[in-house]
Amino acid sequence: MNNDYLKLVRRLKLWVVLLSVLNITIVSTIGVNLYLSKKKEALNEKSIKGTNNFFSLYLQLDDNQVALFDSISANYSNNLKDVGMMLRNVKERMNTPGIFNDTVAMNKMYEDFIMAQSLNRDLAIIFYNNIRGICDSVQSTKFDTLISKITVPADYYKSNPKPIEENE
């Protein structure tokens, strides 16, 4: 009986060691995954802040203006989700078999696409007007200069009816 008792104790010790190793691997896996998810989250936050940092640095926004800018940017991003859903809807309908033979459906898709693009344009205009609204006079001048360099003026097509060829 003494021999059976020792075998039982050895088996229990083996089970304790195996379960301890298993617990250690589970805890270490959880720890590594938490670390990796936090690292990935920090990277994503850094990339988002990178785009927001451009205006903050270029316009030299103060802390209050940066907080307002972050709010404006978050609101703009949320509103852009509607545009994305509209465009995805159009794309899904384009994948419908035989859709290119249905003129009515194609016209509706065209109208929905144009509506999504005009909503995108309107949201961008509101976004830039809101940014301009938080700027002081010096920052507004810098902002206007930047926007004038990256956009086409409203009267451009009136004065230049023909597209400019690169080879000319």
Side-chain angles (χ1 to χ4, degrees):
M1 182 131 141
N2 195 11
N3 197 16
D4 289 339
Y5 179 74
L6 288 175
K7 284 183 181 180
L8 183 63
V9 169
R10 285 182 187 144
R11 283 186 190 160
L12 288 175
K13 285 181 182 179
L14 178 65
W15 278 109
V16 167
V17 168
L18 288 174
L19 290 175
S20 297
V21 168
L22 185 62
N23 282 338
I24 289 170
T25 57
I26 289 172
V27 169
S28 63
T29 301
I30 291 171
V32 166
N33 284 334
L34 283 173
Y35 171 76
L36 291 176
S37 68
K38 285 184 180 181
K39 187 176 178 182
K40 185 176 181 179
E41 186 178 309
L43 243 160
N44 288 340
E45 185 176 314
K46 185 178 179 182
S47 71
I48 289 170
K49 283 196 180 280
T51 52
N52 291 351
N53 265 354
F54 172 76
F55 281 111
S56 300
L57 295 173
Y58 181 75
L59 298 174
Q60 299 172 341
L61 301 176
D62 62 27
D63 292 339
N64 187 31
Q65 289 173 317
V66 168
L68 288 170
F69 178 80
D70 288 342
S71 172
I72 291 168
S73 182
N75 189 26
Y76 176 65
S77 294
N78 286 334
N79 290 336
L80 276 182
K81 290 178 184 175
D82 294 337
V83 173
M85 289 188 328
M86 292 169 75
L87 291 174
R88 261 190 302 281
N89 184 334
V90 169
K91 182 180 176 184
E92 288 171 4
R93 289 187 301 183
M94 295 236 357
N95 292 331
T96 306
I99 193 70
F100 295 105
N101 297 330
D102 187 354
T103 307
V104 174
M106 288 297 290
N107 286 339
K108 179 66 176 143
M109 279 191 305
Y110 175 74
E111 289 172 7
D112 291 346
F113 179 78
I114 295 300
M115 187 183 323
Q117 292 299 323
S118 65
L119 177 60
N120 186 31
R121 179 203 60 220
D122 295 344
L123 290 174
I125 289 170
I126 292 169
F127 175 67
Y128 290 128
N129 282 337
N130 287 341
I131 293 173
R132 191 174 193 288
I134 65 171
C135 295
D136 61 23
S137 60
V138 173
Q139 293 167 334
S140 291
T141 304
K142 286 178 80 172
F143 182 79
D144 292 343
T145 303
L146 173 69
I147 294 300
S148 70
K149 288 181 180 180
I150 62 172
T151 59
V152 177
D155 61 345
Y156 174 81
Y157 292 107
K158 292 177 184 173
S159 61
N160 298 316
K162 289 175 125 179
I164 298 173
E165 296 290 328
E166 288 185 25
N167 296 335
E168 289 183 7

